[in-house]
Amino acid sequence: MTAAITANLPVFIIIAPLFVAFVLPTLAQRMRLVENLVISVEALMLFGACYLASIVLFQKGIPIIYQMGGWSAPWGIELKVGSLGAFFLLVIAIVSLPIALFARGNLTFEVGGKERRARFYVLYLLLVGALAGMALTNDLFNVYVLVEVATLSCCGLVSARNHPRAAKATFTYLILATLGSCLVMGGIGFIYIVTGHLNMGFASQELGRIWQNNPRVVWMAFSFMLVGFGVKSALFPLHVWLPDAHSVAPSPASAILSGLAVKGYLICLLKVLYNVFGHTLMQTYSVHKVLVLVGMVAIIAGSISALTQDDLKRRLAFSTVAQVGYIFLGFGLLNTKGLAGTLFYLASHAVIKSTLFLSAGAMLAVTGKKNIKDLSGIGRKMPVTTAAFTVSSLGLIGIPLFSGFVGKWHLLLGSFESDNILSVAVIIAGSVLCAAYLFPIIRIAYFESAPEKDWKDPNVPQKLALILLSIVIVVLGVVPGSLLELAGRAAAELLVLQ
Amino acid sequence: MSILIKKLIINYPYFAAFIIFSIGALTVLKRSNLFKKLIGINIMESAIFLMFVASGNIRGGAVPISNNNNPQSLYINPLPSALMLTGIVVSVSVTAFALALILRLYRSYGTTDLRRISEMGNEVAE
Amino acid sequence: MKDFILKRMASIILPFICIYGFYVIFHGHISPGGSFAGGIIVGLSFIAFSTIYGTEKGRKKLPEKVLVWTESYGTLWYGIMGMVGIIKGVPFLTNKLAGVNLGVPGTLNSGGLISFIGFGVGIRVASTMITLFFTMMEEE
């Protein structure tokens, strides 16, 4: 029994959230059961992810290959638990459990009645399952299907609040995201036309051998993939849907959208770029230069747009645009340190941005005020929430002892290693701008007088979620340890190929 | 020049896919009517489907159904068609979801024009 | 609608359309079509019933609860069929290696678990289509 479970863990970790999600609509009348189911599935995912990560760490780089239906690689669909997959799976599990916990306390305010809450959980688990699939899959068409599942459930989560503005934001998001997935599918089509394979490993081998025959088709595949995943992960000029969608969504949904969903697309892009095209081909087509350039523009432009926002959730949403820039920049550095730093930064941003959105959501739920200026003195009335907000802000800026610093530090080292002084300057400038748009909130929260109102910290599950996430931020900052090692090994594996 | 034309004629499905894709993309980006945007998305998706399915075609190949009345040994590649079935399912669900959203928007704003909806902004109540 | 001919013809034809849908579902592995196409045909027969006889009667024939249950458990059925392989000690969704008897190629029982999986997917697709139809009709 135990052997069957551990041998099939890669597939269980994907299908458990998916199939529980499908059963939830029939249980909508028993909300307590639904919530318990969701939390237990998330907890089991965390256990499974820890187990897989420890195996991958222990095996020193030999990935676990799982063949769906018993069909071996070029014909069947493969799940591959390498360092990258185990790393991202761990991030998903760590972030999604506290968000589910938070949603348990907060969702009645954000979404409404039982039916709507049950549907929210359905979409939430579908999104988590799709993300877990993205982390593990080794098949290009699977990537497309999972991206589509994730996109549709993201759209559902954005429109979970029954409000016309949510419907408008969702429509914009849906149209742009579908445009993006069309482009992704086109890119996969070009790769299939050139190589005749959909398995990433085989496609990569074939591409390395015969790309000279159709250089233009490969070029098209590159550009389709970049623009497609760029739209989905809100790369700067293509980010127009993000601020509306992420600020209008219910707070737990914004947390998982900004924290994890965007990262899922980034991991897919990373897999396609490094596992399919390979870094030599990237250098031939100068894709890495484009990535670094686009990332730098996104950091500066996103941070400046975040500075101009007065709405708390909109400011955080624009900050996500800036942080996505860091990750794109890191993808283009093409050295182990930079890539490991990028992956660690991705993980720490997932944790940090979820904490920021959750604490902002808790403040919003208690005060009913969206504007930053109206939150004066909230630090004394809601100590736990504001403390979580402060810890995560410090992490996002990159103060030592918080998790953002470790990632940024390695990113800086990577930039130095590739002699890219401009990107070093941009990373530092981005941190300064980040401080410029987050410190005023903390100042207003702690150092201004509070109005005479009955503002209190949220109920126990929400507090617990915030405390858990803050602890993760601090622990990752003080002892990055095995997660950083996993990231480093994933980066080395990505760069070794070909 | 003649080589280019020859290539275009040989690869006519890809050329058609390119034209259809451009029509769809232009419709999505330029029209402000929600329904037209949705139709544009569908046109774009069908262009990609066409490209994918055309990539599986082998001239002179038979339908890849194995039965005894079909002695030919050259079959077209069925994989892209099977994959595109998944793509069509996805496109159907996107369309259904988008139609539901359009209904919702029409009920609260009274119009299906995105520009006018943006002008109304936040005035509309819940 | 009050069209007498339409109603009589529909009452004759619609059962056959529904059965044809199930035929397409179960023959998915040996002929064109499959669970998605067949499920749409099954769903269409009910949608046609509701348009001809009125949404009220269609609702009575398929209450919302039934639709929710088929939609949820149709997909779960897929998972249960996938588990057959895991119980036998081979990977998820395995067909032949799990010891399922694959008969003569080209005949109906040559698909092993595929027809069973197709049944789950088919009723799921059918109920999704019907749910979508009812939802759109209600939003007047």
Side-chain angles (χ1 to χ4, degrees):
Chain A
M1 188 65 194
T2 337
I5 288 177
T6 47
N8 293 303
L9 202 54
V11 75
F12 276 140
I13 224 162
I14 299 172
I15 63 170
L18 290 182
F19 284 122
V20 172
F22 291 132
V23 181
L24 290 187
T26 57
L27 305 173
Q29 292 310 314
R30 282 184 279 172
M31 211 48 218
R32 196 35 58 98
L33 181 64
V34 168
E35 283 161 349
N36 288 341
L37 258 177
V38 172
I39 302 253
S40 43
V41 165
E42 296 287 350
L44 284 176
M45 265 187 83
L46 185 57
F47 276 125
C50 287
Y51 180 79
L52 284 177
S54 62
I55 284 188
V56 167
L57 268 179
F58 186 67
Q59 276 185 344
K60 305 259 176 217
I62 305 162
I64 307 168
I65 303 277
Y66 188 88
Q67 291 159 344
M68 293 287 259
W71 294 96
S72 55
W75 299 284
I77 294 169
E78 242 183 14
L79 299 180
K80 181 176 158 196
V81 195
S83 307
L84 180 65
F87 173 80
F88 190 51
L89 208 57
L90 206 57
V91 174
I92 293 169
I94 289 173
V95 176
S96 61
L97 176 62
I99 295 176
L101 208 61
F102 186 89
R104 189 181 178 137
N106 178 271
L107 220 54
T108 323
F109 164 75
E110 292 278 4
V111 180
K114 276 182 181 175
E115 293 267 316
R116 295 189 80 84
R117 270 187 287 162
R119 274 178 214 156
F120 177 91
Y121 280 123
V122 172
L123 294 166
Y124 182 82
L125 283 184
L126 277 179
L127 178 58
V128 170
L131 289 168
M134 285 180 197
L136 297 187
T137 186
N138 200 24
D139 184 274
L140 278 170
F141 202 75
N142 249 17
V143 167
Y144 166 72
V145 173
L146 291 166
V147 159
E148 226 18 280
V149 171
T151 306
L152 278 176
S153 34
C154 284
C155 290
L157 285 175
V158 173
S159 65
R161 186 185 277 163
N162 194 6
H163 189 278
R165 260 179 57 222
K168 182 174 165 272
T170 316
F171 191 81
T172 323
Y173 181 25
L174 185 68
I175 290 294
L176 282 171
T178 316
L179 210 150
S181 46
C182 268
L183 293 174
V184 169
M185 185 159 58
I188 292 169
F190 286 126
I191 295 172
Y192 182 72
I193 288 170
V194 174
T195 65
H197 282 294
L198 286 170
N199 184 289
M200 287 188 189
F202 283 84
S204 165
Q205 279 174 17
E206 203 70 10
L207 211 57
R209 220 155 42 83
I210 56 165
W211 70 270
Q212 282 105 333
N213 299 351
N214 322 48
R216 296 222 174 95
V217 183
V218 177
W219 188 80
M220 286 292 278
F222 259 125
S223 38
F224 268 51
M225 283 291 183
L226 269 184
V227 178
F229 281 117
V231 171
K232 286 186 165 289
S233 55
L235 185 59
F236 167 63
L238 312 167
H239 70 284
V240 281
W241 56 268
L242 185 134
D244 280 338
H246 286 195
S247 59
V248 87
S251 301
S254 330
I256 195 163
L257 289 177
S258 244
L260 281 179
V262 167
K263 307 296 180 305
Y265 305 132
L266 285 168
I267 289 286
C268 284
L269 178 65
L270 185 69
K271 278 187 163 184
V272 168
L273 284 181
Y274 284 87
N275 280 352
V276 178
F277 292 111
H279 62 100
T280 41
L281 216 56
M282 275 171 75
Q283 270 164 324
T284 323
Y285 284 92
S286 315
V287 175
H288 63 296
K289 282 179 192 158
V290 176
L291 285 170
V292 170
L293 186 72
V294 158
M296 290 196 294
V297 174
I299 293 170
I300 300 295
S303 305
I304 290 175
S305 350
L307 265 175
T308 60
Q309 300 298 321
D310 290 327
D311 183 337
L312 180 55
K313 276 177 91 172
R314 273 184 86 82
R315 185 174 283 197
L316 295 178
F318 269 109
S319 145
T320 301
V321 177
Q323 310 300 320
V324 166
Y326 281 103
I327 296 164
F328 266 91
L329 190 152
F331 283 177
L333 287 179
L334 284 183
N335 55 43
T336 321
K337 252 181 210 143
L339 209 52
T342 312
L343 285 174
F344 195 83
Y345 194 74
L346 188 148
S348 73
H349 178 245
V351 183
I352 289 168
K353 195 44 73 67
S354 330
T355 323
L356 281 172
F357 264 116
L358 289 184
S359 43
M363 291 176 191
L364 195 77
V366 172
T367 63
K369 304 257 169 65
K370 288 176 177 175
N371 206 305
I372 293 165
K373 290 195 187 87
D374 298 332
L375 296 174
S376 56
I378 203 166
R380 263 160 277 161
K381 303 258 179 171
M382 299 171 71
V384 178
T385 317
T386 321
F389 191 89
T390 312
V391 166
S392 43
S393 307
L394 295 178
L396 195 65
I397 295 161
I399 308 283
L401 294 184
F402 296 100
S403 66
F405 169 74
V406 184
K408 256 183 195 162
W409 178 248
H410 282 82
L411 256 177
L412 278 176
L413 289 181
S415 307
F416 272 120
E417 203 172 298
S418 62
D419 287 332
N420 200 336
I421 301 303
L422 188 61
S423 71
V424 174
V426 167
I427 289 172
I428 293 168
S431 292
V432 173
L433 282 170
C434 184
Y437 63 73
L438 282 175
F439 273 143
I441 305 172
I442 299 171
R443 187 184 57 81
I444 287 170
Y446 279 115
F447 300 111
E448 285 194 5
S449 55
E452 296 291 318
K453 272 184 190 144
D454 188 27
W455 291 347
K456 271 191 307 197
D457 262 331
N459 52 13
V460 179
Q462 303 185 40
K463 261 197 270 190
L464 193 64
L466 290 173
I467 292 169
L468 273 178
L469 283 168
S470 311
I471 289 173
V472 171
I473 295 173
V474 176
V475 167
L476 284 184
V478 179
V479 273
S482 33
L483 201 64
L484 188 60
E485 196 189 333
L486 208 58
R489 209 174 280 167
E493 272 176 28
L494 288 173
L495 284 168
V496 143
L497 225 84
Q498 287 183 352
Chain B
M1 189 63 195
S2 65
I3 298 171
L4 188 70
I5 290 171
K6 222 179 235 170
K7 273 189 177 171
L8 275 185
I9 289 169
I10 292 170
N11 293 321
Y12 67 94
Y14 302 105
F15 189 54
F18 170 73
I19 292 173
I20 297 172
F21 189 87
S22 321
I23 293 171
L26 272 179
T27 318
V28 174
L29 297 175
K30 292 211 70 164
R31 298 303 178 105
S32 64
N33 189 314
L34 300 176
F35 280 110
K36 287 186 179 157
K37 272 186 191 294
L38 184 58
I39 291 168
I41 282 286
N42 274 314
I43 293 173
M44 260 171 68
E45 278 179 338
S46 22
I48 303 280
F49 298 156
L50 175 63
M51 187 197 83
F52 231 114
V53 171
S55 79
N57 186 31
I58 294 167
R59 294 227 168 108
V63 184
I65 297 173
S66 137
N67 55 10
N68 299 330
N69 344 327
N70 200 352
Q72 222 172 342
S73 61
L74 190 68
Y75 295 114
I76 66 162
N77 184 359
L79 183 67
S81 323
L83 295 178
M84 282 313 104
L85 198 62
T86 316
I88 289 167
V89 175
V90 169
S91 130
V92 167
S93 36
V94 168
T95 310
F97 186 40
L99 283 175
L101 280 175
I102 292 174
L103 260 172
R104 177 80 182 84
L105 283 171
Y106 181 73
R107 279 198 303 168
S108 36
Y109 290 91
T111 173
T112 56
D113 192 297
L114 194 59
R115 213 169 293 148
R116 280 178 58 198
I117 290 175
S118 302
E119 277 166 16
M120 284 188 217
N122 304 335
E123 294 160 20
V124 175
E126 303 239 347
Chain C
M1 253 182 270
K2 285 178 184 170
D3 198 326
F4 177 76
I5 301 173
L6 189 65
K7 279 187 178 173
R8 287 297 146 265
M9 285 309 286
S11 70
I12 295 168
I13 290 175
L14 286 181
F16 289 103
I17 295 180
C18 190
I19 288 174
Y20 177 67
F22 278 107
Y23 170 84
V24 174
I25 291 175
F26 283 116
H27 286 72
H29 53 288
I30 49 174
S31 69
S35 40
F36 185 71
I40 295 235
I41 296 170
V42 173
L44 243 154
S45 66
F46 284 100
I47 291 173
F49 179 84
S50 325
T51 41
I52 292 166
Y53 289 88
T55 322
E56 305 259 301
K57 268 194 167 174
R59 272 264 182 227
K60 228 171 251 169
K61 197 138 254 182
L62 281 174
E64 198 180 341
K65 205 170 180 188
V66 175
L67 288 175
V68 169
W69 276 70
T70 45
E71 216 176 323
S72 299
Y73 288 97
T75 326
L76 196 68
W77 179 247
Y78 187 105
I80 292 167
M81 284 295 119
M83 288 295 171
V84 169
I86 289 179
I87 289 165
K88 296 264 182 173
V90 278
F92 187 67
L93 277 178
T94 314
N95 200 356
K96 194 181 176 186
L97 290 177
V100 182
N101 179 27
L102 302 185
V104 188
T107 54
L108 184 57
N109 66 347
S110 67
L113 293 177
I114 291 177
S115 337
F116 292 97
I117 287 178
F119 175 68
V121 177
I123 61 168
R124 202 233 142 89
V125 170
S127 52
T128 308
M129 284 295 148
I130 300 164
T131 315
L132 278 177
F133 174 76
F134 282 150
T135 318
M136 298 266 171
M137 290 301 282
E138 263 173 20
E139 307 235 350
E140 289 301 323

